[in-house]
Amino acid sequence: MVPNSQRITDAAAAQGLFAALAGEANEVLAFAYLNGDRRVLGMRHARSACADRMAVPIRVVAADALAFGAAAVVMAHNHPSGDPTPSAADREATRLLARALDTLEVRLLDHLVLAARGVTSFRALGLL
C-alpha cells in the first residue's frame, strides 16, 4: 500500500483526485486502483491523440488491478467539449469494463466524466 494514500469514500473524493482532467485539450482516461479500505494503491493515465474519443484499455486495467492487488477501481475521463454528459460509447465502455473486472472480483466503483461545465458520476446516475 502507498503510505498516507488518499481514501476514496464517495464521488466527491474521487472528483478531487481527477479534477485536473477537466482542463485537458484531448481526452484522457485515468484509473485509480483501491484496496479494500478504498485507499489508493496506484494510478494510471492514458492520453488520446483525439479530442473526442478514446478506447478503454480493458486488458491493461485488468492487469494493473491484479498487479496492485486492487479490490476496486475508479475510472475517470474528460470531455474537452465541456459537456459532462456520458455518450453511448462511454456507457458501453463502462459496462464492458465493469463486467471484465467483475470476473476478477474487482469492483468498478464509479466512472466520472469531467468537463468545464461539471462532473457526471455513473454511480449517481444508476449506471453502475
Side-chain angles (χ1 to χ4, degrees), residues 75-92:
M75 173 184 177
H77 82 283
N78 65 316
H79 278 180
S81 68
D83 181 1
T85 305
S87 68
D90 293 340
R91 288 189 293 275
E92 178 64 9

Side-chain angles (χ1 to χ4, degrees), residues 4-111:
N4 302 317
S5 63
Q6 182 174 349
R7 188 162 187 252
I8 305 300
T9 56
D10 56 21
Q15 181 179 341
L17 186 64
F18 298 114
L21 296 180
E24 292 283 341
N26 288 342
E27 280 205 16
V28 178
L29 284 169
F31 302 90
Y33 300 91
L34 313 176
N35 68 10
D37 194 34
R38 295 191 178 183
R39 293 199 182 276
V40 177
L41 298 167
M43 294 184 68
R44 179 185 288 269
H45 289 73
R47 296 187 181 280
S48 174
C50 300
D52 63 348
R53 67 181 173 276
M54 182 167 193
V56 175
I58 292 174
R59 294 176 82 174
V60 172
V61 175
D64 284 348
L66 292 172
F68 281 117
V73 174
V74 176
M75 173 184 177
H77 82 283
N78 65 316
H79 278 180
S81 68
D83 181 1
T85 305
S87 68
D90 293 340
R91 288 189 293 275
E92 178 64 9
T94 302
R95 186 185 66 74
L96 291 172
L97 179 60
R99 191 170 69 201
L101 290 174
D102 188 52
T103 65
L104 302 173
E105 299 178 353
V106 175
R107 183 173 178 211
L108 182 60
L109 289 179
D110 208 344
H111 176 176

